[in-house]
Amino acid sequence: NAGVMQNPRHLVRRRGQEARLRCSPMKGHSHVYWYRQLPEEGLKFMVYLQKENIIDESGMPKERFSAEFPKEGPSILRIQQVVRGDSAAYFCASSRGDRGTGGIGQPQHFGDGTRLSIL
Amino acid sequence: AQTVTQSQPEMSVQEAETVTLSCTYDTSESNYYLFWYKQPPSRQMILVIRQEAYKQQNATENRFSVNFQKAAKSFSLKISDSQLGDTAMYFCATLNYGGATNKLIFGTGTLLAVQP
């Protein structure tokens, strides 16, 4: 499967625990995005990363949430001290970073998402 | 702030018929892209069609086509010869071009049910 890979598909945590969500972009893609989908809502942008750089984190909550995309390995979305309101589907997407456009406008291809449930 | 509005929360269509899903958006940018994504019950997000705002010609992908009215900031999706597999939530989205960011702004979605 050459698509965007997210794991785990389902994650259950108790309040106060940490959640780590992983995303491996499509082959040849150097841009990664994280979106959150609350029940019965559309997707909301959280953060946009390139290798070792955060480009736009305007959608990230100020506290408890962090994201990284290291030189080697998958992108990680980390949620510390989870609360019930963090229950949602978290989608990762990736796109190419063409020289001419810097990746702007390139179609974003989504993974299957991670369903996070907080007990 | 950029917004995307989908005014039809739910729609229904008979198999083999044609249906149009509405989308309007608000942006102060002159260069942007528009997308329709489909989310079937499996919850995947699948790109259906993409339109570049500077292109006047409407995008087409097999049974899917758009009616892009730039002045009216309208971007509707037409599905011809509807199939049962088209049953899904459909999201309209915009993306600004020219800035450093690359974030998609999504509407709230339209749930389409294709009836046999």
Side-chain angles (χ1 to χ4, degrees):
Chain A
N1 187 348
V4 178
M5 302 300 293
Q6 288 189 249
N7 67 80
R9 290 293 302 274
H10 302 274
L11 182 61
V12 180
R13 287 286 179 266
R14 296 189 180 279
R15 281 178 295 172
Q17 291 184 320
E18 178 179 286
R20 282 186 178 233
L21 289 63
R22 293 175 181 77
C23 169
S24 296
M26 282 180 70
K27 188 175 181 181
H29 286 191
S30 57
H31 297 219
V32 165
Y33 317 82
W34 286 93
Y35 294 85
R36 177 165 65 175
Q37 185 177 32
L38 295 171
E40 310 302 325
E41 294 187 11
L43 279 72
K44 294 286 193 322
F45 169 81
M46 299 181 75
V47 63
Y48 163 36
L49 309 104
Q50 296 176 22
K51 284 285 187 182
E52 300 184 281
N53 285 306
I54 296 175
I55 307 302
D56 181 358
E57 57 180 347
S58 59
M60 288 281 270
K62 299 295 182 201
E63 298 178 345
R64 303 187 298 109
F65 285 71
S66 62
E68 62 177 7
F69 188 19
K71 187 176 181 180
E72 301 291 338
S75 175
I76 306 289
L77 179 67
R78 182 184 179 201
I79 311 172
Q80 295 177 291
Q81 299 176 337
V82 296
V83 301
R84 288 250 171 89
D86 296 334
S87 294
Y90 291 83
F91 286 90
C92 171
S94 72
S95 71
R96 293 166 55 187
D98 288 351
R99 283 185 184 176
T101 64
I104 300 295
Q106 291 299 316
Q108 294 180 22
H109 298 268
F110 282 79
D112 290 344
T114 293
R115 274 78 183 167
L116 176 63
S117 298
I118 309 302
L119 301 179
Chain B
Q2 197 164 1
T3 58
V4 178
T5 301
Q6 293 179 252
S7 58
Q8 304 152 315
E10 296 183 20
M11 292 192 72
S12 181
V13 64
Q14 292 294 124
E15 197 174 5
E17 292 186 348
T18 296
V19 64
T20 298
L21 309 184
S22 301
C23 173
T24 58
Y25 58 92
D26 185 17
T27 180
S28 58
E29 302 292 332
S30 56
N31 297 317
Y32 51 91
Y33 295 86
L34 298 156
F35 303 85
W36 279 97
Y37 280 86
K38 165 185 176 181
Q39 188 176 43
S42 65
R43 307 295 287 178
Q44 293 174 289
M45 288 291 290
I46 302 166
L47 177 64
V48 175
I49 201 164
R50 169 181 180 236
Q51 173 82 39
E52 294 161 344
Y54 68 87
K55 289 187 176 179
Q56 293 187 347
Q57 185 174 6
N58 289 326
T60 299
E61 287 288 342
N62 300 315
R63 297 182 296 107
F64 299 88
S65 61
V66 299
N67 183 5
F68 174 45
Q69 301 290 330
K70 190 171 184 178
K73 296 184 179 176
S74 171
F75 182 62
S76 60
L77 175 69
K78 186 172 82 170
I79 306 174
S80 304
D81 186 25
S82 297
Q83 300 176 359
L84 295 177
D86 294 333
T87 292
M89 182 73 85
Y90 287 81
F91 292 99
C92 177
T94 63
L95 187 151
N96 285 341
Y97 178 90
T101 190
N102 207 21
K103 62 183 179 186
L104 287 164
I105 307 296
F106 286 90
T108 52
T110 294
L111 180 60
L112 177 67
V114 180
Q115 307 291 344

